Amino acid sequence: MLKFVHQAIRDIRTTGSVFPSSPALAKAMTRSLRNHRGEKKILEVGPGTGPFTSAILAALRGHDSFDIVEVNEVFCAHLEHRLLKDYRAHHPSISVKLHAMPIEQAPLEGGYDFVICGLPFNNFPLALTQSIFNQLLALMRDGGEMTYFEYAGMRTIKRPFIGASGRDHIRRLEAFRQSTSKAHIVTKRLVVANFPPAHAMRIIKRQGV
């Protein structure tokens, strides 16, 4: 917790919150992959200290593969020391790779069944959000699922305090999300047992889109 808070205070733009996600949100974010039967290929982007990573690792079986992309070096060291090193030693048949770099630079082959994203898109410029969204969707197989989360009501709370340019950014962001909803299948699940409460947003990639 303290490690996450310290890094969040240093760079709230890329961390997005001063509190790590709850086990309840981690459960909602990983629900589909936990219920999946057969081998699966998973990508996690922006894991922070690993609340979603722990849930993903617990769901891996057989010859599954799991790629993790995290830009923060402190978080990478934490993940490697606390979670990944021992997991690899006890599960040699499962491929678990940590890429300490931005998602735009990560050498990923694609074909993912599941993408779990913890990036704070509301803090990013619209062009960067669009670029990352499109990259993640391109890395997924048809019918694959991407899950990310948004804090409930946060854009409404922000509106009176962010000025005209900030409100314009929110409108553009909402328009982009609506276009994504039309192109793919999008559902959301409210998780109140998180601080703040959050929506787990799930995108199922349509064939040929």
Side-chain angles (χ1 to χ4, degrees):
M1 169 71 83
L2 291 178
K3 188 183 297 291
F4 186 93
V5 171
H6 177 70
Q7 292 301 308
I9 291 172
R10 286 188 59 192
D11 192 356
I12 191 67
R13 186 183 69 83
T14 57
T15 305
S17 173
V18 295
F19 296 100
S21 299
S22 70
L25 183 55
K27 183 177 181 180
M29 293 283 289
T30 59
R31 180 165 55 93
S32 292
L33 68 88
R34 286 186 289 106
N35 294 331
H36 183 78
R37 296 293 178 265
E39 290 186 12
K40 51 191 176 290
K41 186 174 183 180
I42 303 168
L43 170 64
E44 184 182 14
V45 184
T49 54
F52 303 157
T53 312
S54 295
I56 295 168
L57 290 172
L60 297 178
R61 300 288 185 273
H63 293 275
D64 291 346
S65 64
F66 181 25
D67 285 297
I68 307 163
V69 179
E70 171 58 60
V71 70
N72 186 297
E73 294 181 358
V74 174
F75 288 157
C76 286
H78 174 88
L79 290 167
E80 188 65 41
H81 177 69
R82 294 293 181 89
L83 295 175
L84 304 183
K85 183 178 180 180
D86 285 346
Y87 187 90
R88 292 193 195 95
H90 290 93
H91 302 85
S93 68
I94 299 176
S95 172
V96 178
K97 298 178 182 179
L98 175 61
H99 307 270
M101 61 189 66
I103 181 62
E104 301 93 322
Q105 300 174 14
L108 305 172
E109 295 182 359
Y112 291 100
D113 301 293
F114 299 96
V115 175
I116 309 297
C117 186
L119 296 177
F121 288 117
N122 283 328
N123 292 8
F124 292 170
L126 178 60
L128 180 58
T129 295
Q130 292 173 322
S131 175
I132 293 175
F133 250 82
N134 290 335
Q135 180 183 3
L136 295 181
L137 287 168
L139 287 168
M140 295 162 56
R141 65 167 178 80
D142 289 343
E145 293 188 15
M146 177 170 73
T147 308
Y148 67 100
F149 71 93
E150 294 183 346
Y151 293 122
M154 191 57 64
R155 293 197 297 274
T156 301
I157 293 170
K158 283 182 174 182
R159 284 182 192 274
F161 308 103
I162 55 179
S165 62
R167 289 190 289 273
D168 182 64
H169 172 71
I170 287 177
R171 284 193 294 270
R172 289 170 171 266
L173 192 59
E174 289 176 345
F176 171 67
R177 285 171 175 152
Q178 288 173 5
S179 68
T180 302
S181 297
K182 292 177 181 178
H184 305 282
I185 301 170
V186 180
T187 61
K188 65 180 180 180
R189 185 183 186 92
L190 177 63
V191 179
V192 296
N194 190 75
F195 186 78
H199 290 288
M201 309 292 296
R202 179 167 289 103
I203 300 174
I204 300 177
K205 182 179 178 180
R206 292 186 189 273
Q207 185 174 2
V209 177

